[in-house]
Amino acid sequence: MKQTYYFAAWTDSGCLLGCDHQHQTVTSAAACINMPGGYVAAVETSLRELTEWEEAEFQMAKYGIGGEPPKDKNPVRQLGWLPIKRYT
Ligand SMILES: [Zn+2]
């Protein structure tokens, strides 16, 4: 199984910067953003963009709203320390 972690990311003067943590959830990394326009990046074997599920979690964590997450066979997703959010 791939080990994935997340970090808060932002740009400054054309450089990609980020926090030094290896957050276990998108929500945790989103809470670490301290710059306007910050985002969350995922790392598996290399840096990658967020999946649709991860993006929905980011939108919920950062803005309290989320688009309709993609349907899959496991509609319950744990959001870190938050109560389980059930998408129906
Ligand atoms: Zn962090």
Side-chain angles (χ1 to χ4, degrees):
M1 183 174 171
K2 295 178 192 171
Q3 187 75 21
T4 302
Y5 68 88
Y6 307 93
F7 67 93
W10 59 90
T11 58
D12 188 4
S13 301
C15 296
L16 176 65
L17 304 174
C19 71
D20 294 329
H21 311 122
Q22 294 185 3
H23 295 278
Q24 297 303 302
T25 65
V26 172
T27 300
S28 175
C32 206
I33 294 171
N34 61 3
M35 297 287 287
Y39 196 58
V40 170
V43 177
E44 287 179 355
T45 54
S46 62
L47 191 65
R48 68 162 172 79
E49 66 182 11
L50 299 182
T51 65
E52 291 181 62
W53 266 106
E54 292 165 337
E55 178 65 27
E57 183 176 343
F58 173 77
Q59 294 295 326
M60 182 63 72
K62 189 70 177 163
Y63 305 110
I65 57 171
E68 187 66 26
K71 303 287 184 213
D72 70 10
K73 62 183 180 227
N74 184 17
V76 177
R77 175 140 169 99
Q78 187 78 33
L79 293 179
W81 57 269
L82 298 173
I84 292 174
K85 169 77 175 169
R86 185 175 300 277
Y87 297 102
T88 55

